[in-house]
Amino acid sequence: MLQTRYTLIYVALMTLVVVSSNFLVQFPLNVTFAGVNLADLLTWGAFTYPVAFLITDLTNRQFGPQAARKVVFAGFLVGVALSFFTSVPRIAIASGTAYLAGQLLDIALFNRLRRQAWWRAPLVGSLLGSMLDTAIFFSLSFAAFFVFLGPNEPFALEASPVLGVFAAEAPRWISWAIGDFWVKLLVGLVMLLPYGALMSVLRPMQGARAAS
């Protein structure tokens, strides 16, 4: 009963994160900082999506990898379905593919490292999961090659200085992907704080450490 209640809470939180991130990724961060136009570098979705890894890791810690996968798949089904109404289909498809790959990698790494230092499993899992997620999401969403998934976004394909500062130019989505990953990395580090704070509250249930 306890696991069912917590799982439903985790699924609801995961759905909220996925849907909001899919919506916010369509909006560049139109802010200039130190002479750099952050619209060439970031979208708002970079700040919300890393919370998904916190939710997955807390589920994994408390109930084990099988429960974490259930939350991931439930969040995928509900989140992606709703995303078709809040964003364009290509974004929803890219998000779903990247989300599954990144989250399942996070679960596998977390479960392998969970007996080591408390911070290592969530940090390594979210870092490598975010890297895979970012590569898949931005490629499927904006690379011209994947036009069969939906119309290309002209603004994303326009050439601009890499990261807004280098002389070399590349399609804007490349800088978005690089900037997105670094923000995810920074937010992932910040997410260690609530994870560490909740460790004493959300203790592993019996059998949670079992690999599967």
Side-chain angles (χ1 to χ4, degrees):
M1 189 66 180
L2 177 64
Q3 180 171 343
T4 299
R5 182 165 65 250
Y6 271 94
T7 298
L8 289 175
I9 293 173
Y10 287 137
V11 168
L13 292 173
M14 184 69 81
T15 300
L16 178 62
V17 170
V18 171
V19 173
S20 61
S21 298
N22 288 353
F23 178 72
L24 292 172
V25 78
Q26 300 173 88
F27 300 98
L29 187 62
N30 289 310
V31 176
T32 299
F33 178 76
V36 177
N37 183 7
L38 296 184
D40 292 330
L41 187 61
L42 292 172
T43 68
W44 285 102
F47 296 93
T48 57
Y49 187 76
V51 180
F53 290 97
L54 172 64
I55 296 169
T56 300
D57 292 344
L58 289 174
T59 309
N60 203 344
R61 169 180 167 76
Q62 192 173 11
F63 299 114
Q66 287 186 335
R69 292 188 192 102
K70 290 179 181 178
V71 170
V72 166
F73 283 116
F76 168 79
L77 292 174
V78 178
V80 173
L82 291 176
S83 294
F84 274 98
F85 296 97
T86 59
S87 61
V88 297
R90 182 170 176 175
I91 295 293
I93 293 170
S95 172
T97 304
Y99 166 85
L100 277 182
Q103 293 296 321
L104 292 178
L105 177 61
D106 175 46
I107 291 171
L109 292 172
F110 185 99
N111 205 49
R112 181 177 293 273
L113 300 173
R114 67 188 305 153
R115 295 181 183 275
Q116 300 183 17
W118 72 268
W119 52 267
R120 187 164 297 167
L123 180 60
V124 173
S126 62
L127 171 63
L128 297 183
S130 291
M131 187 181 298
L132 179 62
D133 176 277
T134 299
I136 293 175
F137 175 77
F138 281 92
S139 296
L140 294 183
S141 294
F142 303 115
F145 177 81
F146 294 103
V147 66
F148 58 86
L149 295 177
N152 286 322
E153 172 55 55
F155 183 73
L157 293 175
E158 288 178 2
S160 67
V162 175
L163 297 180
V165 295
F166 293 102
E169 292 192 343
R172 188 172 277 109
W173 71 267
I174 298 291
S175 293
W176 286 350
I178 297 172
D180 179 271
F181 172 71
W182 281 106
V183 169
K184 285 177 179 176
L185 175 59
L186 292 174
V187 176
L189 290 171
V190 173
M191 288 296 101
L192 288 177
L193 297 177
Y195 178 86
L198 291 170
M199 284 182 64
S200 60
V201 178
L202 304 177
R203 296 182 179 277
M205 304 293 288
Q206 185 177 4
R209 295 179 182 271
S212 60

